[in-house]
Amino acid sequence: MTDPAAPPPLPYFPYHPDPLATGSLVPSRTRCACCGQRRGYVYAGPVYAVADLSHALCPWCLADGSAAARYEAQFTEVDGRVPADVVRTVEQRTPDFT
Ligand SMILES: [Zn+2]
């Protein structure tokens, strides 16, 4: 049985398995700047983008890469010692560890 009032389970971030515990995602009633939906959580970490996207993006737009694509945004800085596809996933689809 699922509680219809409960928020949906968060998307899975392979390189940041518990973003709620780290405070990277926070509960919020804010409408996501990317998909326009209120999804119960926003990303509270740093955003490397031209637009001001602080506390403005939902975890789902972050996880599927749509926020990164739409705003040419990055969320995490990675050094050069990891494979390029991993760098892309971490930079563009992973909440930062702050
Ligand atoms: Zn969204």
Side-chain angles (χ1 to χ4, degrees):
M1 296 290 276
T2 35
D3 176 358
L10 287 166
Y12 175 62
F13 296 101
Y15 302 104
H16 193 164
D18 195 355
L20 279 178
T22 60
S24 188
L25 301 179
V26 295
S28 172
R29 302 268 311 141
T30 302
R31 211 178 269 281
C32 171
C34 189
C35 66
Q37 297 183 59
R38 281 195 187 91
R39 308 193 80 172
Y41 297 96
V42 290
Y43 171 56
V47 182
Y48 306 99
V50 176
D52 179 10
L53 299 168
S54 177
H55 292 73
L57 297 169
C58 77
W60 288 266
C61 288
L62 220 148
D64 69 10
S66 59
R70 180 162 172 174
Y71 296 104
E72 296 181 22
Q74 289 188 4
F75 308 103
T76 303
E77 287 184 303
V78 180
D79 72 32
R81 287 170 296 178
V82 282
D85 60 326
V86 175
V87 171
R88 258 191 311 281
T89 301
V90 171
E91 285 182 340
Q92 299 179 3
R93 301 173 69 160
T94 301
D96 193 21
F97 302 80
T98 22

